[in-house]
Amino acid sequence: SDEVFRIHGLEVGMLPSVDTALNFYPGPARRTLEQAIEHCQAQGEPYDLELPFVRANGQPAWIRAIGQREPSAKGGQRLVGIFQDITESHRLHARLDEDQARLRATLAALDDGVITCDARGQVTSLNPVAERMTGWTTENARGVDVGSVFRIFDGDSAAPATNPVTLCLQSGTTVHAQNKTVLVARSGAESGIQETTTPILDRDREIKGAVIVFRDVTEQRALAREVDRKSAFDELSGLH
């Protein structure tokens, strides 16, 4: 088709030989495609490859090459394929990978714990602080209900606290810190925390998940209790 000539950067009707067509693929990519074609012809196994490509003018591109063996109308077998230019899609995916790498680096540098969840309330990632405070790694926690990873209790009553992710996903709004929340790690270690849970929305404002950001306030609460204790003692002793 005309599109195939455009992808190659050739004039319409300038049909290259098979060997010339393969030369549009740089070294390793050419060998990968040749092996896939040979295996398809010999074994009948179809292929679906994404490969780097260099147009006739030297411009780099990415191509999706799909092929399968099928019976020929004249008898025997023939190879039928589809050839797609996926350069822009590949560029967008590469840019997304870069953005995600920068986001991971940013989250890793935060002093706060960060847990992200999908729309079902299942964990998708934890940053290093969250891993340390919960005792879960991203690898172990991925796909687990967030309530099993982010185990929180009321610091006064010791009763289980309401899961903020559930509230966030139901309301579609930010859920702020509950009263004196205590996080219990897998090891049983307890940390006083302040948390904020925010919905993750797509461009159509549909809820795609939630992110919990929390910080360790154990020392601040201990200091506040000590101040309260001393104040109460001073009042009882008549000292001011």
Side-chain angles (χ1 to χ4, degrees), residues 70-128:
E70 65 177 31
S72 170
K74 298 180 180 179
Q77 301 287 322
R78 66 172 184 169
L79 184 66
V80 178
I82 297 175
F83 188 72
Q84 296 176 318
D85 185 346
I86 59 169
T87 304
E88 186 59 27
S89 173
H90 191 272
R91 184 180 296 117
L92 290 174
H93 280 297
R95 188 178 304 161
L96 179 60
D97 288 342
E98 292 175 1
D99 290 343
Q100 290 177 335
R102 283 194 291 270
L103 177 59
R104 287 193 295 270
T106 300
L107 293 178
L110 291 177
D111 292 330
D112 295 338
V114 180
I115 300 176
T116 59
C117 312
D118 61 20
R120 296 172 297 177
Q122 295 180 346
V123 174
T124 55
S125 70
L126 296 87
N127 76 340

Side-chain angles (χ1 to χ4, degrees), residues 3-10 16 21 24 53-57 83:
E3 178 66 9
V4 172
F5 291 107
R6 186 198 65 77
I7 292 173
H8 282 81
L10 299 173
F24 284 87
F53 187 85
V54 180
R55 307 186 201 276
N57 62 2
F83 188 72

Side-chain angles (χ1 to χ4, degrees), residues 93-185:
H93 280 297
R95 188 178 304 161
L96 179 60
D97 288 342
E98 292 175 1
D99 290 343
Q100 290 177 335
R102 283 194 291 270
L103 177 59
R104 287 193 295 270
T106 300
L107 293 178
L110 291 177
D111 292 330
D112 295 338
V114 180
I115 300 176
T116 59
C117 312
D118 61 20
R120 296 172 297 177
Q122 295 180 346
V123 174
T124 55
S125 70
L126 296 87
N127 76 340
V129 175
E131 289 184 334
R132 174 175 56 78
M133 292 184 66
T134 63
W136 290 78
T137 64
T138 292
E139 182 179 358
N140 292 331
R142 187 176 289 118
V144 176
D145 184 85
V146 68
S148 298
V149 177
F150 189 67
R151 296 174 56 224
I152 54 175
F153 295 81
D154 183 284
D156 290 329
S157 67
T162 303
N163 186 335
V165 170
T166 300
L167 296 176
C168 180
L169 293 177
Q170 289 175 347
S171 67
T173 59
T174 297
V175 177
H176 295 286
Q178 302 176 60
N179 186 40
K180 296 182 180 179
T181 307
V182 173
L183 172 68
V184 180

Side-chain angles (χ1 to χ4, degrees), residues 19-34 50-56 58-63 83:
D19 189 63
T20 299
L22 289 172
N23 282 335
F24 284 87
Y25 299 88
R30 171 174 176 152
R31 288 191 293 273
T32 297
L33 182 57
E34 286 177 328
E50 294 185 4
L51 300 168
F53 187 85
V54 180
R55 307 186 201 276
Q59 182 182 21
W62 277 83
I63 296 301
F83 188 72

